[in-house]
């Protein structure tokens, strides 16, 4: 009795990026075959569907074998089982570690625990991203975090070096693990309107301006910690909430602002200056305490953004105000002290 089998013999391992993407997204071979036929109808012509499915199944098996190497991407260039060109290696790694903003937004700030991994069904339903893809993204974030959490130096560069990721993707991962490490609250109702891109921007600025860039940091902070000397300096700003200092600070800022905004805007900012200034200083001072630090984004929304929106201040108005606020001589002198 004879059994029919499909046999393929070759040297270089050929990877179809589109089929690889379907596999990453959790499609079955039959579903992927349908998508391939729809996309490549003119090329495939009368090719029988079974042949298309057979080819896709063969590639899916290859992807499953290669996946064992992807937790440590540097192994791809060291192994001899699969003959992969450098370009193919880059495609395999980049696509495997790529992530959906909507999925990461849902897991952002949560503990990377087994319990939260089990709850990814809800994330899958909410984002319309397959559960297999959600689990891969969760596991990748956890893996990157565990690898770089104790490393000093530039966080993005550490990720790029250890996982062979392109610079932009490494920067995105850096933002995610930075938020995870500092346990910032991101899931409260008032923060729901914020997208991943908002947190990406904030974390990038914080890493660039609040972290110790010296490899020999005085307090031995890692790349994911806020510089302790910087935090201690923020404590000195508390003097600006004292009555005399607050009045002087207000006078200096409003004098610089007067010629740059309309009378109506000037009046709006003038009326809210003291309360807004106290909120800014108290948020900065509170970063020295873990609870207040975790609530950073929530405090910014409640104590800066919402009052500013109530006063009908636009985004450009706030950028101008905050720039003059921190550049005023009184503020700079307090910070240096």
């Amino acid at each position: 009795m004879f059994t029919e089998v499909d046999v393929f013999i070759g040297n270089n391992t050929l990877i179809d990026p589109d089929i690889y993407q379907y596999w990453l997204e959790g499609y079955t071979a039959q579903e992927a075959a349908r998508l391939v036929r729809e996309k490549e109808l003119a090329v495939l012509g009368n090719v029988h569907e079974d042949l298309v499915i057979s080819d896709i199944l063969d590639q899916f098996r290859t992807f499953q074998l290669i996946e064992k190497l992807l937790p440590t991407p540097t192994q791809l260039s060291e192994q001899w089982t699969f003959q992969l060109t450098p370009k193919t290696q880059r495609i395999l790694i980049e696509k495997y570690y790529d992530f959906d903003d909507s999925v990461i937004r849902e897991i952002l700030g949560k503990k990377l625990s087994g319990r939260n991994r089990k709850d990814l069904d809800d994330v899958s339903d909410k984002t319309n991203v397959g559960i297999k893809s959600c689990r891969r993204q969760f596991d990748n974030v956890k893996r990157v975090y565990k690898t770089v959490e104790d490393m000093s130096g530039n966080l993005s560069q550490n990720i790029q070096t250890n996982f062979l990721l392109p610079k932009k993707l490494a920067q995105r991962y850096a933002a995610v693990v930075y938020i995870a490490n500092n346990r910032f609250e991101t899931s409260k109702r008032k923060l729901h309107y914020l997208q991943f891109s908002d947190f990406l921007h904030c974390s990038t600025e914080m890493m660039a301006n609040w972290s110790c860039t010296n490899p020999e940091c005085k307090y031995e902070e890692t790349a994911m910690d806020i510089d302790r000397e910087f935090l201690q300096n923020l404590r000195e700003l508390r003097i600006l909430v004292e009555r005399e200092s607050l009045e002087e600070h207000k006078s200096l800022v409003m004098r610089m602002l007067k010629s740059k905004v309309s009378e109506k805007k000037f009046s709006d900012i003038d009326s809210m200056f003291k309360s807004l200034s106290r909120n800014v200083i108290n948020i900065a001072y509170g970063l020295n305490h873990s609870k207040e630090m975790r609530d950073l984004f929530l405090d910014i929304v409640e104590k800066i953004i919402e009052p500013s929106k109530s006063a009908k201040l636009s985004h450009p108005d706030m950028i101008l105000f905050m720039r003059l606020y921190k550049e005023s001589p009184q503020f700079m002198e307090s910070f240096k002290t």
Side-chain angles (χ1 to χ4, degrees), residues 42-97:
V43 176
L44 293 175
N46 295 322
V47 174
H48 197 279
E49 184 179 358
D50 288 347
L51 290 176
V52 178
I53 294 176
S54 177
D55 177 62
I56 291 174
L57 281 170
D58 182 65
Q59 293 212 43
F60 275 23
R61 284 190 287 267
T62 300
F63 300 152
Q64 289 170 349
L65 294 171
I66 292 175
E67 186 177 21
K68 297 175 183 178
L69 301 168
L70 290 172
T72 311
T74 52
Q75 290 184 355
L76 274 184
S77 61
E78 299 169 354
Q79 55 81 38
W80 294 94
T81 304
F82 303 98
Q83 302 299 305
L84 301 166
T85 65
K87 180 181 180 180
T88 299
Q89 291 177 34
R90 286 195 299 271
I91 290 173
L92 288 169
I93 295 168
E94 290 175 24
K95 282 184 173 291
Y96 191 80
Y97 279 90

